[in-house]
């Protein structure tokens, strides 16, 4: 079915969902995704509350990145309904969606020859377009994003000369400059050492909670998800196997259902969440 046809069908069948979905950023209902005859996602129904940092976890190939791409409108599901702010994703115009939702994919191979400030300025594209004038207000947003992410010291350096952690901060600054209400982040800590993982995730949590932004983040490390996220959704083989608060997810039986291995948890005296480890 074409996107236009889907828009018309959704409008006829469900109308405006805005009021009934108050407090929910994204919602997916019975989402399925089949590519080349292979089921990537099956019957996925989840909600992503506004103002929360929500982690998508699971083993490799569980469908986490595919679900995030559906939320980002990079993939069209083959079944089910996905909404943002109560409206079906297909009903949004590209620019209006980009002004509200910012997406950071895994592959960040571009931008190495740009300065950090130039990269951050790309976040303003949804607001003025390719031929639009870069205004004083745009410059203020870029400067504010650089300050908020603590990258002032290397704002005029080339992105390609930065360390992994510095580079991730620069890309996150670009999303902040985009002034979006929701951030979709696909493994932003991949290939970072533990210190830089902590640094980047602390920044994301602070930005979200200070500004009320909604964040959906794909993570591999369940302990990092428990420490920095308000809620965890777990997938396995394309299906939802668990969803809840970190303390609800980090219990041995649930961890076994997610990862298929025996795990135990211990309480940390200085933390409100348990710590999981394999047996």
């Amino acid at each position: 079915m074409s996107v236009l046809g889907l828009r018309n069908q959704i409008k006829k069948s469900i109308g405006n969902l805005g009021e009934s979905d108050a407090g929910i950023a994204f919602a997916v209902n019975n989402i399925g995704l089949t590519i080349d005859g292979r089921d990537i996602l099956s019957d996925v129904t989840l909600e992503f509350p506004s103002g929360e940092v929500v982690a998508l976890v699971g083993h490799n190939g569980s469908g986490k990145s595919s679900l995030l791409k559906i939320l980002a409108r990079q993939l069209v599901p083959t079944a089910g309904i996905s909404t943002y702010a109560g409206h079906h994703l297909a009903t949004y115009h590209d620019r209006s969606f980009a002004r509200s939702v910012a997406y950071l994919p895994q592959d960040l191979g571009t931008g190495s020859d740009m300065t950090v400030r130039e990269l951050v300025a790309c976040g303003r594209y949804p607001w003025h377009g390719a031929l639009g004038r870069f205004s004083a207000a745009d410059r203020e947003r870029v400067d504010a994003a650089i300050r908020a992410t603590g990258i002032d010291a290397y704002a005029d350096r080339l992105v390609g000369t930065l360390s992994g952690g510095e580079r991730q901060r620069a890309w996150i600054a670009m999303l902040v400059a985009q002034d979006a209400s929701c951030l979709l982040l696909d493994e932003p800590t991949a290939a970072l050492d533990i210190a830089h993982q902590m640094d980047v995730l602390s920044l994301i949590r602070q930005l979200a909670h200070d500004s009320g932004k909604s964040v959906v983040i794909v993570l591999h490390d369940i302990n990092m998800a428990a420490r920095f996220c308000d809620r965890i959704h777990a997938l396995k083989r394309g299906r939802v196997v668990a969803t809840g608060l970190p303390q609800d997810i980090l219990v041995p039986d649930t961890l076994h259902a997610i990862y298929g291995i025996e795990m135990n948890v211990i309480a940390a005296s200085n933390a409100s969440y348990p710590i999981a480890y394999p047996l």
Side-chain angles (χ1 to χ4, degrees):
M1 179 182 294
S2 69
V3 171
L4 180 59
L6 182 59
R7 284 179 180 171
N8 291 335
Q9 177 179 321
I10 295 299
K11 287 178 180 178
K12 289 179 181 179
S13 60
I14 64 175
N16 188 332
L17 302 178
E19 294 183 3
S20 61
D21 284 354
I24 301 299
F26 281 97
V28 293
N29 191 5
N30 301 121
I31 286 293
L33 178 66
T34 301
I35 298 178
D36 296 330
R38 177 171 170 254
D39 291 334
I40 308 299
L41 296 168
S42 301
D43 195 28
V44 174
T45 297
L46 291 167
E47 291 185 342
F48 300 82
S50 300
E52 289 191 359
V53 182
V54 182
L56 289 173
V57 304
H59 60 77
N60 290 338
S62 60
K64 306 182 299 296
S65 293
S66 295
L67 179 56
L68 195 75
K69 288 178 180 178
I70 288 174
L71 300 183
R73 304 207 319 169
Q74 303 296 304
L75 284 175
V76 177
T78 50
I81 293 173
S82 50
T83 63
Y84 174 66
H87 302 278
H88 196 283
L89 293 185
T91 65
Y92 283 92
H93 295 291
D94 290 344
R95 181 171 291 186
S96 64
F97 187 75
R99 288 178 175 180
S100 189
V101 177
Y103 169 57
L104 190 67
Q106 288 186 42
D107 183 9
L108 299 175
T110 60
S112 294
D113 295 331
M114 304 171 71
T115 68
V116 170
R117 191 177 299 277
E118 288 170 340
L119 175 66
V120 176
C122 291
R124 300 305 299 162
Y125 175 81
W127 297 93
H128 59 69
L131 301 178
R133 178 175 171 269
F134 197 80
S135 66
D138 290 319
R139 283 189 289 273
E140 289 175 4
R141 291 290 187 182
V142 170
D143 290 341
I146 288 172
R147 290 193 301 270
T149 51
I151 59 174
D152 314 61
Y154 45 90
D156 296 315
R157 284 176 54 186
L158 292 177
V159 173
T161 67
L162 303 179
S163 70
E166 291 170 341
R167 192 158 47 247
Q168 286 300 89
R169 275 182 169 264
W171 282 99
I172 292 169
M174 185 192 74
L175 303 191
V176 174
Q178 191 170 327
D179 206 22
S181 302
C182 182
L183 309 182
L184 304 177
L185 311 172
D186 196 351
E187 296 190 47
T189 58
L192 297 182
D193 60 49
I194 186 69
H196 283 108
Q197 289 181 43
M198 296 280 289
D199 179 59
V200 169
L201 290 174
S202 295
L203 171 63
I204 291 168
R205 182 176 175 86
Q206 179 184 350
L207 289 172
H209 288 181
D210 287 353
S211 61
K213 293 183 186 297
S214 307
V215 177
V216 183
I217 181 171
V218 172
L219 292 172
H220 274 295
D221 191 322
I222 188 66
N223 288 314
M224 289 294 189
R227 177 166 184 162
F228 292 102
C229 299
D230 302 301
R231 190 177 306 272
I232 298 173
H233 296 326
L235 300 178
K236 185 175 184 179
R237 299 190 184 96
R239 294 182 179 274
V240 178
V241 293
T243 178
L245 303 179
Q247 59 267 32
D248 300 326
I249 300 299
L250 269 74
V251 295
D253 288 346
T254 303
L255 293 170
H256 184 271
I258 298 170
Y259 296 107
I261 61 173
E262 296 298 327
M263 299 183 72
N264 204 351
V265 296
I266 57 174
S269 59
N270 59 343
S272 60
Y273 52 88
I275 297 174
Y277 61 94
L279 295 176

